[in-house]
Amino acid sequence: MINNIKYITAGILLSLTFASCDESNIDPISKVDPGQDVSAPTITIASPTADVLIPFTETKTDFNFKFNVTDDIEIGSVEIFLDGTKLKTYDSFLDYRNLSDTYVKKDLGLGNHTFNVVAKDLSGKSTTKSFLFNLDNKYVPLAGEKLFMPVFSGNVFTNLVTGSSPTIVGTPTTSTAGRTGAAYQGATDSYLSFPIAGLFGTSELSVTFWYKVNASPDRSGILVVGNPTALAINSDESRKYGFRLFREGSATLQTIKANVGIGNGESWNDGGAITVANNSWVHIAFTISATETKIYFDGVLKRTATLTSPLNLTGCSDLSIGSGDPTFTYWNHKADSSLYDEVRIFNKALTLSEIQTVMNQ
């Protein structure tokens, strides 16, 4: 019995010795001086960043206010206000130097609004940041803009400039994967059609839109205006009128090109290529002046082609969006399965600076 007690006691002492040895290998905890509290909090408002447009059928919306607050030492409190009314107070923080949050305001009504963020640090220094914006369901066109189709959910493809809706052919849909909401989603044998009356200048026009390419099928029409009577004669005759913006290529590269009819002939613009694997939105602009055509990607000129005569729209009556149908399918440039967002048409040839302004809307 005594021997067992000795063994047990020795074992306990040995365990304590090992524990003491292990603890000696642990680095001691050092206190880090946070430094002096020099700066007031910094505030970034991520939403809204511009006036907000909602569908013309709506008079209110649920809106996401997004903001970020940082401090060099520690945030004390954050308050957010809408039109002078406090929405929320934050006084507890998982990260004591950073706060990022989204506040959902239900049923925000039309009109002018002011969003305020007030942040204080523990030393009492305070920062206030405000953003004034307008929530509206009536669109104010840009200079020369005759069509703006931002695409709203529920297959709403309305031209906000005129309030008119296109003829819907087939079964196109809307995708929630748009740049800022819904986007036009192409489908087999499907496209949108608008009358061209009032859309274009006599010899000038521009089209701009955001585009996420789907390389299947390997070619398609994008925006097409044609003369069906000339097509009945032959395809070469049909290309003397209207214009055709289209794509073709492979599973890795898709080239955006244009063909323009000038009455006594045609002009080709071989554009530029999109890398399919990037799976990204590209802003495309196509302009026609009296003497040349230009294709831009993301505000950068890709290619210019000359016109020996101005654009000729004789016998043309309709614009097809998302397909070469009904006048440009003879080289298999049929329906496009890609995504489209914020399609705009102008009655003039936009300059580079104007295109960049449109792109940043």
Side-chain angles (χ1 to χ4, degrees):
M1 180 67 176
I2 293 176
N3 286 338
N4 288 341
I5 293 173
K6 287 181 179 180
Y7 292 144
I8 293 171
T9 302
I12 292 172
L13 290 174
L14 186 60
S15 298
L16 291 174
T17 301
F18 286 147
S20 176
C21 290
D22 287 341
E23 288 176 359
S24 67
N25 292 326
I26 299 174
D27 292 334
I29 297 174
S30 301
K31 181 179 180 180
V32 178
D33 188 350
Q36 292 184 334
D37 192 341
V38 176
S39 303
T42 300
I43 300 171
T44 301
I45 296 177
S47 174
T49 58
D51 288 340
V52 179
L53 181 69
I54 63 175
F56 66 96
T57 55
E58 305 293 333
T59 59
K60 57 187 177 181
T61 188
D62 294 346
F63 189 79
N64 293 336
F65 291 97
K66 300 179 182 180
F67 63 95
N68 176 262
V69 177
T70 62
D71 189 67
D72 55 346
I73 300 300
E74 186 170 351
I75 303 170
S77 66
V78 175
E79 295 177 322
I80 58 174
F81 300 82
L82 179 64
D83 302 331
T85 299
K86 185 184 294 185
L87 299 177
K88 187 174 181 178
T89 297
Y90 303 79
D91 53 16
S92 178
F93 310 97
L94 292 176
D95 180 346
Y96 54 87
R97 290 182 175 175
N98 296 280
L99 170 66
S100 292
D101 195 43
T102 298
Y103 182 90
V104 181
K105 172 60 177 176
K106 297 288 187 180
D107 296 331
L108 181 62
L110 301 178
N112 294 315
H113 299 284
T114 302
F115 178 59
N116 292 314
V117 181
V118 180
K120 296 179 181 179
D121 64 17
L122 289 184
S123 67
K125 289 188 289 296
S126 177
T127 301
T128 299
K129 191 160 188 178
S130 303
F131 190 85
L132 284 68
F133 68 101
N134 179 259
L135 178 69
D136 206 345
N137 60 2
K138 297 181 180 64
Y139 180 65
V140 178
L142 302 173
E145 188 175 28
K146 298 302 179 182
L147 181 145
F148 176 39
M149 191 182 74
V151 183
F152 295 116
S153 60
N155 293 11
V156 178
F157 306 120
T158 303
N159 174 9
L160 295 190
V161 176
T162 63
S164 60
S165 297
T167 298
I168 300 176
V169 179
T171 56
T173 59
T174 51
S175 167
T176 57
R179 288 184 62 255
T180 57
Y184 173 88
Q185 174 71 72
T188 302
D189 298 327
S190 301
Y191 62 97
L192 307 178
S193 178
F194 282 97
I196 67 170
L199 290 184
F200 308 141
T202 54
S203 62
E204 293 191 357
L205 65 91
S206 298
V207 296
T208 72
F209 56 100
W210 287 94
Y211 190 64
K212 182 179 280 190
V213 68
N214 184 336
S216 178
D218 67 351
R219 60 188 57 214
S220 75
I222 295 177
L223 287 98
V224 171
V225 173
N227 180 330
T229 302
L231 177 62
I233 299 172
N234 58 57
S235 59
D236 291 344
E237 184 68 17
S238 72
R239 292 195 306 279
K240 293 180 181 180
Y241 309 99
F243 67 87
R244 289 141 286 279
L245 187 68
F246 60 98
R247 66 170 176 86
E248 56 189 23
S250 66
T252 56
L253 288 176
Q254 282 288 314
T255 301
I256 308 297
K257 299 181 179 182
N259 171 268
V260 175
I262 55 176
N264 57 357
E266 58 188 309
S267 173
W268 291 89
N269 187 322
D270 289 335
I274 296 174
T275 301
V276 177
N278 288 345
N279 192 34
S280 60
W281 284 97
V282 178
H283 186 266
I284 296 175
F286 172 50
T287 68
I288 302 176
S289 72
T291 58
E292 60 187 10
T293 67
K294 295 182 178 182
I295 293 177
Y296 301 80
F297 288 175
D298 292 330
V300 176
L301 178 63
K302 304 304 291 186
R303 193 176 297 271
T304 301
T306 59
L307 298 177
T308 57
S309 297
L311 167 69
N312 191 309
L313 293 172
T314 300
C316 301
S317 59
D318 296 293
L319 165 71
S320 296
I321 300 175
S323 178
D325 274 315
T327 60
F328 187 53
T329 59
Y330 47 84
W331 287 333
N332 218 31
H333 293 101
K334 298 181 180 179
D336 192 3
S337 54
S338 304
L339 294 179
Y340 296 66
D341 207 353
E342 298 179 23
V343 179
R344 303 174 189 262
I345 294 177
F346 298 81
N347 64 1
K348 63 177 185 174
L350 297 178
T351 65
L352 173 59
S353 62
E354 287 174 324
I355 289 170
Q356 291 171 340
T357 297
V358 170
M359 184 177 67
N360 292 323
Q361 285 288 313

